[in-house]
């Protein structure tokens, strides 16, 4: 927080300080848990916020409200042209600047992004088996993602974290192998419970592997320091993170379904077309694009944006209700929201 910024606090007393910016709804993969194979309707280009518009909202969140973390995401952020231009604009802000990516384009881009000021990346990798990877992502690109992990390490985008969505009967038998991969490479694996945001709308509770089960499986092979002292402070992370007892790094689980962390939620999201969202599962969105494109002068524009953001945060709910009868699935997939 600077002297001139004031914290943004939601109706449940949680300070909001983490902004996830989706730079595109498009993607070069079609992961089964995120998008249907065909039939996605992409946003027309003129409806997607420009880098200047995205940076304006991000800068306001930092300057006025003291945000501490910005995550670039999508869709797949690296397929938007000249992404390093946005990174360079955001790198002027005093925040933890990270990106979530499927990693495929990192061999070409990692060094440029690091030079532009990106600090670290989370790379999605759900399987080390070529056939499973291909089936899950609908692309035969495992080798390129593995090269992307190496490129991120080489470019110093560290600590590199690797996200894995665990699905029962699909890749849950690889949890220990992926943990071993993380230990060998020096990257922190983050195992994510499968959430009902898939493009095919086929999610069921039976597909979810509880985080506790994931930890138990890893602990049986690579003992973890559990209980007091084992958990690593998460910072902006929703993951419960544990150290390996032998000192070979850490591993985290994101138990969004079985142990929601809504009570500690400090994040908000901006979709590629400028909708401000106060929860991954929110049903309401707050459209900032008419404000951004309304022809206001700079000072008035920032005041109007700040007022819209404050009003939106005033509607942030206590938490989602996945698994309960009252749960209503948002009408968008993860790629359209910006995961
Ligand atoms: N394309 C980038 C990627 O895959 O990392 C960034 C966007 S993606 C929507 C962000 C994260 O959301 C990824 O780690 C992905 O695995 C995760 N994700 C997507 N759909 C999910 C779902 N239904 N449940 C849990 N995580 C999901
Ligand atoms: Fe694309 Fe990421 Fe969604 Fe996979 S999870 S389809 S890589 S946006």
């Amino acid at each position: 927080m600077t002297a001139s910024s004031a914290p943004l606090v939601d109706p449940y007393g949680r300070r909001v300080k983490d902004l996830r910016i989706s730079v595109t709804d498009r993607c070069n993969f079609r992961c089964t848990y995120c998008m249907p194979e065909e039939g996605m309707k992409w946003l027309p280009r003129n409806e997607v916020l420009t880098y200047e518009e995205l940076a304006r909202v991000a800068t306001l969140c930092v300057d006025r409200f003291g945000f501490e973390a910005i995550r670039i995401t999508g869709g797949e952020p690296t397929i938007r042209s000249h992404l390093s231009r946005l990174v360079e604009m955001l790198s002027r802000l005093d925040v933890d600047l990270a990106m979530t990516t499927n990693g495929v384009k990192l061999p070409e881009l990692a060094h440029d992004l690091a030079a532009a000021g990106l600090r670290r990346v989370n790379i999605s990798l759900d399987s080390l088996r070529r056939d499973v990877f291909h089936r899950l992502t609908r692309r035969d690109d495992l080798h390129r993602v593995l090269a992307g992990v190496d490129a991120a390490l080489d470019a110093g985008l560290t600590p590199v974290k690797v996200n894995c969505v665990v699905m029962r009967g699909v890749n849950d038998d690889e949890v220990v192998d992926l943990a071993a991969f993380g230990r060998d490479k020096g990257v922190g694996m983050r195992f994510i419970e499968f959430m009902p945001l898939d493009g095919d709308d086929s999610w069921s509770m039976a597909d979810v592997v509880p985080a506790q089960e994931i930890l138990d499986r890893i602990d049986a092979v690579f003992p973890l320091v559990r209980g007091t002292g084992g958990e690593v402070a998460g910072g902006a992370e929703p993951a419960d993170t544990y150290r390996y007892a032998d000192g070979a790094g850490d591993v985290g689980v994101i138990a969004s379904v079985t142990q929601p962390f809504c009570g500690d939620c400090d994040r908000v999201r901006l979709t590629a077309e400028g909708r401000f969202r106060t929860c991954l599962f929110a049903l309401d969105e707050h459209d900032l694009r008419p404000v951004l494109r309304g022809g206001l002068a700079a000072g008035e524009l920032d005041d109007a944006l700040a007022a819209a953001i404050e009003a939106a945060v005033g509607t942030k709910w206590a938490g989602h209700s996945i698994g309960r009868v009252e749960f209503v699935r948002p009408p968008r997939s993860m790629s359209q929201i910006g995961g």
Side-chain angles (χ1 to χ4, degrees):
M1 298 282 299
T2 63
S4 57
S5 60
L8 191 56
V9 180
D10 77 15
Y12 297 89
R14 297 166 296 193
R15 193 179 144 213
V16 175
K17 50 185 165 59
D18 180 336
L19 177 66
R20 313 256 148 159
I21 299 176
S22 172
V23 298
T24 179
D25 59 329
R26 295 171 196 237
C27 190
N28 42 6
F29 281 12
R30 292 288 180 277
C31 304
T32 55
Y33 51 71
C34 180
M35 283 192 193
E37 183 159 21
E38 283 171 21
M40 285 295 285
K41 285 205 177 66
W42 311 119
L43 291 167
R45 307 255 175 211
N46 63 346
E47 290 185 13
V48 173
L49 295 193
T50 64
Y51 286 158
E52 284 70 20
E53 289 169 332
L54 293 168
R56 174 155 226 125
V57 176
T59 304
L60 183 96
C61 286
V62 176
D63 288 351
R64 293 242 182 151
F65 302 125
F67 276 39
E68 294 172 3
I70 294 181
R71 170 80 54 90
I72 298 169
T73 181
E76 175 47 41
T78 58
I79 64 170
R80 184 151 171 189
S81 325
H82 311 296
L83 183 65
S84 51
R85 200 164 72 76
L86 176 69
V87 169
E88 209 269 315
M89 290 157 96
L90 299 179
S91 71
R92 295 174 207 149
L93 305 172
D94 182 20
V95 288
D96 176 25
L97 182 60
M99 177 174 76
T100 303
T101 172
N102 64 25
V104 140
K105 292 196 75 176
L106 285 180
E108 311 147 50
L109 295 180
H111 278 90
D112 283 353
L113 292 169
L118 189 66
R119 295 204 191 159
R120 56 186 189 83
V121 285
N122 280 42
I123 300 172
S124 298
L125 171 65
D126 306 306
S127 175
L128 294 167
R129 294 202 302 253
R130 185 175 167 186
D131 56 332
V132 177
F133 182 96
H134 190 167
R135 218 177 308 132
L136 256 174
T137 59
R138 302 187 177 107
R139 297 289 183 271
D140 188 13
D141 279 335
L142 173 61
H143 59 295
R144 291 177 63 192
V145 174
L146 293 175
V149 173
D150 289 337
L153 288 167
D154 190 53
L157 291 169
T158 51
V160 173
K161 293 177 194 158
V162 170
N163 293 349
C164 169
V165 179
V166 185
M167 299 168 78
R168 178 87 63 201
V170 178
N171 62 345
D172 62 320
D173 57 336
E174 280 193 77
V175 161
V176 171
D177 290 348
L178 283 157
F181 169 83
R183 289 163 52 88
D184 291 347
K185 280 271 171 212
V187 302
M189 289 301 305
R190 298 291 179 264
F191 293 99
I192 307 174
E193 288 180 349
F194 178 34
M195 295 184 275
L197 290 169
D198 51 316
D200 294 327
D201 200 359
S202 67
W203 179 92
S204 111
M205 202 59 159
D207 301 325
V208 178
V209 182
Q212 191 58 50
E213 181 182 327
I214 296 169
L215 282 176
D216 289 345
R217 287 200 207 175
I218 295 170
D219 188 41
V221 181
F222 303 117
L224 300 169
V225 184
R226 296 171 90 169
T228 318
E231 277 189 57
V232 181
E237 270 202 284
D240 275 335
T241 311
Y242 298 86
R243 292 194 181 87
Y244 288 110
D246 63 3
D250 62 47
V251 62
V253 284
I254 302 180
S256 329
V257 177
T258 62
Q259 300 160 52
F261 35 85
C262 305
D264 295 322
C265 180
D266 61 0
R267 64 196 52 194
V268 285
R269 293 181 153 79
L270 185 64
T271 68
E273 77 270 50
R275 307 268 176 90
F276 192 83
R277 296 177 61 89
T278 57
C279 173
L280 204 45
F281 297 94
L283 300 172
D284 291 334
E285 300 182 328
H286 307 263
D287 197 354
L288 300 186
R289 200 176 60 205
V291 185
L292 281 161
R293 296 188 180 172
L296 293 173
E300 289 171 20
L301 171 54
D302 282 345
D303 288 344
L305 279 175
I309 289 171
E310 276 178 310
V313 167
T315 69
K316 189 167 160 84
W317 57 19
H320 67 71
S321 52
I322 298 175
R324 299 208 296 268
V325 279
E326 66 268 28
F327 178 70
V328 179
R329 207 193 128 109
R332 287 170 175 266
S333 71
M334 192 74 153
S335 62
Q336 294 165 321
I337 295 170

